[in-house]
Amino acid sequence: MKAAVVGTDGKLKVADVPTPEAAPGGVVVEVAYCGICGSDVHMLDAGMMPEGSVPGHELSGRIVSVGQGVEGWREGDPVVVLPLDPCFSCEPCRHGAVSLCQEGVLRAYGLGKLPGGFAQYMAARPSMLFRLPNNLDLMTAALNEPWAVAVHGVNLSGFRIGAHAAVMGAGPIGLLTVSALRGAGAAGVYVSEPDAFRAEKARALGVEAVLDPSVEDLGSVVSARTGRLPDYVFDCAGTPSSMQEASNIAGWRGRVVLIGVPMGNATVFPLSCFLKETEFRFSFGYNYREFGDCLDLLARGAVRPEVVVSDVVPLREIADAFEALHRTGHTKILIDCHGV
Ligand SMILES: [Zn+2]
Ligand SMILES: [Zn+2]
């Protein structure tokens, strides 16, 4: 089969690799679509993806073979794949916090260890499979993983119905966070985004305001419109300075949820946070149940895929798609893995 493999130069190349077979207790999924995550781009750029690994952790597809002893799944079943085979026995797993699984590094798919979804086929375990609702298409379903990331961030914030929220960054996670906030009953959502293409996407979601942070201050805009600084700020930018910017924007005892995280150090001036008792909350992944619930929300139209997805490209063009994400004009790029 064809798969996108990390080469000796640290870049992706489409190569012929052995097609996986269903091991006892496992299945093989024919990948339909797999989205490029910002973390894929950053990890590849930072040389964090080992040579020979197959990335990709945002995928949908159909089961093509079922290993011995697997019950409840058949060939042809449409699924999204949780990119992690949780151990279900460590303390975080027992609380449903599967992204925090203590064996997560060894059990993650498409993050350097086990082969991921930028391939025609991918081996998976039944614990990773979530069946598509009848009225959900495979392309929209490929958004479930980043959608669950956004929903988890909003859930972790303890968002109060009727509150106003500020969202920094209108990349895929920022846009999905806007939709999650709408679902959580936000009275107003205000977005900062320096990139004009992405700002337009946020406007298409009908938010209260979208501004360029190099020109206007998000906190001032929210406070001019609502009479106060926002109680909730979602940092979906994940730059070295965004943690500080988020705390500047938040009101007293405001909650800053960090969904995007920089790969290096961040700069924060603690006194400014101290004087407002800013609460920081890091949000990583999702709970097991949230991942399943998010599929139903997708089927109910909670997300606008035509806004979030900017391009769908065949697997053979994946290297160009990764390059394109370093330039303006893109949000979520989905890799079409059955067109090869
Ligand atoms: Zn991701
Ligand atoms: Zn675990």
Side-chain angles (χ1 to χ4, degrees):
M1 69 163 179
K2 301 284 185 199
V5 181
V6 179
T8 41
D9 59 355
K11 295 203 186 300
L12 284 181
K13 279 179 194 59
V14 176
D16 287 300
V17 301
T19 303
E21 284 172 25
V27 303
V28 173
V29 173
E30 181 183 27
V31 182
Y33 299 95
C34 186
I36 303 180
C37 177
S39 72
D40 292 325
V41 178
H42 297 313
M43 286 176 74
L44 215 61
D45 287 351
M48 292 164 73
M49 291 297 285
E51 185 186 338
S53 61
V54 176
H57 60 267
E58 302 180 355
L59 66 140
S60 63
R62 284 184 189 278
I63 294 177
V64 284
S65 68
V66 177
Q68 201 188 343
V70 174
E71 285 175 17
W73 296 100
R74 286 204 310 235
E75 283 176 30
D77 284 347
V79 292
V80 292
V81 180
L82 176 82
L84 173 80
D85 173 29
C87 81
F88 289 123
S89 59
C90 72
E91 195 177 339
C93 276
R94 281 188 275 117
H95 286 81
V98 290
S99 296
L100 312 184
C101 176
Q102 287 166 2
E103 294 181 14
V105 180
L106 299 171
R107 291 171 165 271
Y109 286 66
L111 288 166
K113 191 81 188 163
L114 300 161
F118 293 137
Q120 285 180 280
Y121 301 94
M122 176 182 156
R125 311 288 297 178
S127 59
M128 301 159 61
L129 303 175
F130 289 75
R131 196 181 305 273
L132 259 63
N134 282 336
N135 55 339
L136 185 63
D137 63 282
L138 285 165
M139 194 186 285
T140 304
L143 293 174
N144 196 60
E145 203 273 350
W147 168 231
V149 167
V151 167
H152 180 62
V154 172
N155 285 346
L156 262 192
S157 76
F159 195 80
R160 184 167 38 78
I161 292 174
H164 295 269
V167 176
M168 297 166 59
I173 293 293
L175 295 171
L176 291 166
T177 298
V178 168
S179 296
L181 284 164
R182 289 293 188 216
V189 182
Y190 300 80
V191 178
S192 67
E193 171 57 58
D195 179 290
F197 179 84
R198 292 182 165 196
E200 208 45 57
K201 294 281 194 178
R203 275 184 203 102
L205 292 179
V207 297
E208 275 56 36
V210 184
L211 56 90
D212 179 344
S214 65
V215 178
E216 275 181 291
D217 172 62
L218 187 53
S220 311
V221 169
V222 177
S223 120
R225 299 270 195 103
T226 69
R228 52 184 289 137
L229 290 168
D231 292 323
Y232 301 89
V233 180
F234 294 85
D235 177 4
C236 303
T239 66
S241 61
S242 59
M243 199 169 164
Q244 178 68 55
E245 287 155 25
S247 89
N248 293 346
I249 291 164
W252 65 277
R253 283 191 195 152
R255 285 188 196 158
V256 172
V257 180
L258 300 114
I259 307 184
V261 180
M263 290 286 156
N265 288 329
T267 310
V268 179
F269 181 58
L271 189 61
S272 66
C273 311
F274 177 74
L275 294 174
K276 293 199 291 190
E277 295 191 344
T278 307
E279 287 180 34
F280 288 101
R281 190 88 209 223
F282 289 88
S283 179
F284 173 48
Y286 27 73
N287 292 336
Y288 197 68
R289 181 172 168 182
E290 283 169 330
F291 197 86
D293 290 348
C294 277
L295 263 184
D296 292 321
L297 292 169
L298 278 185
R300 287 167 184 272
V303 164
R304 303 253 312 271
E306 77 284 6
V307 175
V308 178
V309 177
S310 59
D311 317 77
V312 181
V313 307
L315 182 62
R316 64 179 177 276
E317 291 171 17
I318 190 169
D320 295 339
F322 268 70
E323 274 310 308
L325 283 169
H326 291 92
R327 300 187 296 271
T328 182
H330 305 278
T331 45
K332 176 61 74 188
I333 300 183
L334 294 183
I335 300 299
D336 177 348
C337 293
H338 42 15
V340 190

